[in-house]
Short mmCIF file of all heavy atoms in Angstrom, two decimals:
data_model
loop_
_atom_site.label_atom_id
_atom_site.label_comp_id
_atom_site.label_asym_id
_atom_site.label_seq_id
_atom_site.Cartn_x
_atom_site.Cartn_y
_atom_site.Cartn_z
N TYR W 10 41.76 9.25 -24.31
CA TYR W 10 41.37 8.97 -25.69
C TYR W 10 40.94 10.25 -26.41
O TYR W 10 40.75 11.31 -25.80
CB TYR W 10 40.22 7.95 -25.71
CG TYR W 10 39.08 8.29 -24.78
CD1 TYR W 10 38.12 9.24 -25.11
CD2 TYR W 10 38.98 7.66 -23.53
CE1 TYR W 10 37.10 9.56 -24.24
CE2 TYR W 10 37.94 7.97 -22.66
CZ TYR W 10 37.01 8.93 -23.02
OH TYR W 10 35.99 9.24 -22.16
N LYS W 11 40.79 10.10 -27.72
CA LYS W 11 40.27 11.18 -28.56
C LYS W 11 38.91 10.76 -29.10
O LYS W 11 38.73 9.62 -29.52
CB LYS W 11 41.22 11.44 -29.75
CG LYS W 11 42.64 11.78 -29.36
CD LYS W 11 43.50 11.88 -30.60
CE LYS W 11 44.97 12.10 -30.24
NZ LYS W 11 45.84 12.11 -31.45
N ARG W 12 37.94 11.67 -29.07
CA ARG W 12 36.61 11.38 -29.59
C ARG W 12 36.53 11.82 -31.05
O ARG W 12 36.97 12.91 -31.41
CB ARG W 12 35.54 12.11 -28.79
CG ARG W 12 35.39 11.62 -27.36
CD ARG W 12 34.17 12.29 -26.71
NE ARG W 12 33.96 11.84 -25.35
CZ ARG W 12 34.43 12.44 -24.27
NH1 ARG W 12 35.17 13.54 -24.42
NH2 ARG W 12 34.19 11.97 -23.07
N HIS W 13 35.94 10.96 -31.87
CA HIS W 13 35.78 11.28 -33.29
C HIS W 13 34.32 11.23 -33.73
O HIS W 13 34.03 11.00 -34.90
CB HIS W 13 36.60 10.30 -34.15
CG HIS W 13 38.08 10.44 -33.96
ND1 HIS W 13 38.82 11.49 -34.46
CD2 HIS W 13 38.96 9.66 -33.29
CE1 HIS W 13 40.09 11.35 -34.14
NE2 HIS W 13 40.21 10.24 -33.42
N GLY W 14 33.42 11.43 -32.78
CA GLY W 14 32.00 11.44 -33.13
C GLY W 14 31.27 10.21 -32.60
O GLY W 14 31.87 9.32 -31.99
N THR W 15 29.98 10.18 -32.84
CA THR W 15 29.13 9.10 -32.35
C THR W 15 28.21 8.58 -33.44
O THR W 15 28.01 9.23 -34.47
CB THR W 15 28.26 9.57 -31.16
OG1 THR W 15 27.39 10.62 -31.62
CG2 THR W 15 29.11 10.07 -30.02
N THR W 16 27.65 7.41 -33.18
CA THR W 16 26.65 6.84 -34.07
C THR W 16 25.65 6.06 -33.23
O THR W 16 25.86 5.86 -32.02
CB THR W 16 27.30 5.91 -35.12
OG1 THR W 16 26.34 5.57 -36.11
CG2 THR W 16 27.82 4.63 -34.48
N SER W 17 24.55 5.65 -33.83
CA SER W 17 23.52 4.87 -33.13
C SER W 17 23.25 3.59 -33.90
O SER W 17 23.47 3.51 -35.11
CB SER W 17 22.22 5.69 -33.00
OG SER W 17 22.42 6.82 -32.19
N LEU W 18 22.75 2.60 -33.19
CA LEU W 18 22.47 1.30 -33.79
C LEU W 18 21.08 0.83 -33.39
O LEU W 18 20.75 0.79 -32.20
CB LEU W 18 23.50 0.26 -33.34
CG LEU W 18 23.19 -1.21 -33.67
CD1 LEU W 18 23.21 -1.42 -35.18
CD2 LEU W 18 24.17 -2.15 -32.97
N TYR W 19 20.26 0.51 -34.39
CA TYR W 19 18.99 -0.17 -34.16
C TYR W 19 19.21 -1.65 -34.42
O TYR W 19 19.84 -2.03 -35.41
CB TYR W 19 17.90 0.36 -35.09
CG TYR W 19 17.37 1.72 -34.71
CD1 TYR W 19 17.98 2.88 -35.18
CD2 TYR W 19 16.28 1.85 -33.87
CE1 TYR W 19 17.50 4.13 -34.83
CE2 TYR W 19 15.79 3.10 -33.52
CZ TYR W 19 16.40 4.23 -34.01
OH TYR W 19 15.92 5.46 -33.64
N ALA W 20 18.67 -2.50 -33.55
CA ALA W 20 18.86 -3.94 -33.70
C ALA W 20 17.56 -4.67 -33.40
O ALA W 20 16.84 -4.31 -32.46
CB ALA W 20 19.97 -4.44 -32.79
N ALA W 21 17.28 -5.70 -34.19
CA ALA W 21 16.13 -6.59 -33.97
C ALA W 21 16.67 -8.00 -33.81
O ALA W 21 17.22 -8.58 -34.75
CB ALA W 21 15.15 -6.50 -35.14
N PHE W 22 16.52 -8.54 -32.61
CA PHE W 22 17.07 -9.85 -32.25
C PHE W 22 15.97 -10.90 -32.41
O PHE W 22 14.92 -10.83 -31.75
CB PHE W 22 17.57 -9.81 -30.81
CG PHE W 22 18.15 -11.10 -30.31
CD1 PHE W 22 19.47 -11.43 -30.57
CD2 PHE W 22 17.38 -11.98 -29.57
CE1 PHE W 22 20.01 -12.61 -30.10
CE2 PHE W 22 17.91 -13.16 -29.09
CZ PHE W 22 19.23 -13.48 -29.36
N ASN W 23 16.19 -11.87 -33.32
CA ASN W 23 15.22 -12.95 -33.56
C ASN W 23 15.42 -14.01 -32.49
O ASN W 23 16.45 -14.69 -32.46
CB ASN W 23 15.44 -13.53 -34.95
CG ASN W 23 14.40 -14.56 -35.33
OD1 ASN W 23 13.79 -15.20 -34.48
ND2 ASN W 23 14.19 -14.75 -36.62
N ILE W 24 14.45 -14.18 -31.57
CA ILE W 24 14.66 -15.10 -30.45
C ILE W 24 14.67 -16.55 -30.91
O ILE W 24 15.15 -17.43 -30.19
CB ILE W 24 13.61 -14.89 -29.35
CG1 ILE W 24 12.22 -15.34 -29.82
CG2 ILE W 24 13.59 -13.45 -28.89
CD1 ILE W 24 11.24 -15.50 -28.69
N LEU W 25 14.12 -16.84 -32.09
CA LEU W 25 14.09 -18.22 -32.56
C LEU W 25 15.44 -18.67 -33.10
O LEU W 25 15.88 -19.79 -32.86
CB LEU W 25 13.02 -18.38 -33.65
CG LEU W 25 12.86 -19.79 -34.24
CD1 LEU W 25 12.41 -20.76 -33.16
CD2 LEU W 25 11.87 -19.78 -35.41
N THR W 26 16.14 -17.79 -33.82
CA THR W 26 17.42 -18.14 -34.43
C THR W 26 18.62 -17.46 -33.79
O THR W 26 19.74 -17.90 -33.96
CB THR W 26 17.40 -17.80 -35.93
OG1 THR W 26 17.28 -16.37 -36.08
CG2 THR W 26 16.23 -18.48 -36.63
N GLY W 27 18.38 -16.34 -33.10
CA GLY W 27 19.49 -15.57 -32.54
C GLY W 27 20.11 -14.61 -33.53
O GLY W 27 21.06 -13.90 -33.20
N GLU W 28 19.60 -14.56 -34.76
CA GLU W 28 20.14 -13.65 -35.76
C GLU W 28 19.66 -12.23 -35.51
O GLU W 28 18.62 -12.01 -34.87
CB GLU W 28 19.74 -14.10 -37.17
CG GLU W 28 20.35 -15.45 -37.56
CD GLU W 28 19.94 -15.88 -38.95
OE1 GLU W 28 19.00 -15.27 -39.50
OE2 GLU W 28 20.55 -16.82 -39.49
N VAL W 29 20.41 -11.26 -36.02
CA VAL W 29 20.13 -9.86 -35.75
C VAL W 29 19.99 -9.08 -37.05
O VAL W 29 20.80 -9.25 -37.97
CB VAL W 29 21.26 -9.23 -34.90
CG1 VAL W 29 21.11 -7.73 -34.79
CG2 VAL W 29 21.28 -9.86 -33.51
N ILE W 30 18.94 -8.27 -37.13
CA ILE W 30 18.79 -7.28 -38.20
C ILE W 30 19.26 -5.96 -37.63
O ILE W 30 18.76 -5.51 -36.60
CB ILE W 30 17.34 -7.18 -38.67
CG1 ILE W 30 16.85 -8.52 -39.22
CG2 ILE W 30 17.19 -6.09 -39.74
CD1 ILE W 30 15.36 -8.55 -39.55
N GLY W 31 20.25 -5.34 -38.24
CA GLY W 31 20.82 -4.11 -37.70
C GLY W 31 20.75 -2.96 -38.68
O GLY W 31 20.74 -3.15 -39.91
N ARG W 32 20.68 -1.77 -38.13
CA ARG W 32 20.69 -0.55 -38.94
C ARG W 32 21.47 0.52 -38.19
O ARG W 32 21.10 0.91 -37.08
CB ARG W 32 19.28 -0.06 -39.23
CG ARG W 32 19.21 1.13 -40.19
CD ARG W 32 17.78 1.55 -40.46
NE ARG W 32 17.70 2.59 -41.48
CZ ARG W 32 17.65 2.36 -42.79
NH1 ARG W 32 17.66 1.12 -43.24
NH2 ARG W 32 17.59 3.34 -43.66
N VAL W 33 22.59 0.96 -38.77
CA VAL W 33 23.42 1.99 -38.17
C VAL W 33 22.96 3.35 -38.68
O VAL W 33 22.83 3.55 -39.88
CB VAL W 33 24.91 1.76 -38.51
CG1 VAL W 33 25.77 2.82 -37.85
CG2 VAL W 33 25.35 0.38 -38.07
N THR W 34 22.67 4.27 -37.76
CA THR W 34 22.16 5.59 -38.13
C THR W 34 22.99 6.67 -37.45
O THR W 34 23.66 6.43 -36.44
CB THR W 34 20.69 5.75 -37.71
OG1 THR W 34 20.60 5.65 -36.28
CG2 THR W 34 19.83 4.67 -38.34
N GLN W 35 22.91 7.86 -38.00
CA GLN W 35 23.65 8.98 -37.43
C GLN W 35 22.86 9.63 -36.30
O GLN W 35 23.44 10.17 -35.35
CB GLN W 35 23.95 10.03 -38.51
CG GLN W 35 25.00 11.05 -38.09
CD GLN W 35 26.33 10.39 -37.71
OE1 GLN W 35 26.80 9.46 -38.35
NE2 GLN W 35 26.94 10.88 -36.62
N ARG W 36 21.52 9.57 -36.40
CA ARG W 36 20.69 10.21 -35.39
C ARG W 36 19.70 9.20 -34.82
O ARG W 36 19.52 8.10 -35.37
CB ARG W 36 19.96 11.42 -35.96
CG ARG W 36 20.89 12.48 -36.54
CD ARG W 36 20.15 13.69 -37.04
NE ARG W 36 19.48 14.41 -35.96
CZ ARG W 36 18.75 15.50 -36.15
NH1 ARG W 36 18.60 16.01 -37.38
NH2 ARG W 36 18.16 16.12 -35.12
N HIS W 37 19.04 9.61 -33.75
CA HIS W 37 18.12 8.72 -33.05
C HIS W 37 16.77 9.45 -32.92
O HIS W 37 16.51 10.17 -31.95
CB HIS W 37 18.70 8.38 -31.67
CG HIS W 37 17.73 7.70 -30.76
ND1 HIS W 37 17.51 8.10 -29.47
CD2 HIS W 37 16.89 6.66 -30.96
CE1 HIS W 37 16.60 7.33 -28.91
NE2 HIS W 37 16.21 6.44 -29.79
#
C-alpha cells in the first residue's frame, strides 16, 4: 500500500444509548 498520512479520533460512547460523540483531529 501507499501511505498518505494519519489522523486521530476522539470518541465518547454513551452507554445508555450507544451513540457516539466524535472529534477527528490531526494531532494527539
Side-chain angles (χ1 to χ4, degrees):
Y10 49 79
K11 302 175 185 176
R12 293 188 179 94
H13 293 287
T15 62
T16 190
S17 296
L18 169 66
Y19 285 88
F22 180 84
N23 186 334
I24 69 165
L25 180 63
T26 64
E28 295 180 347
V29 171
I30 299 173
R32 186 179 186 86
V33 182
T34 63
Q35 195 58 42
R36 302 182 65 181
H37 169 229

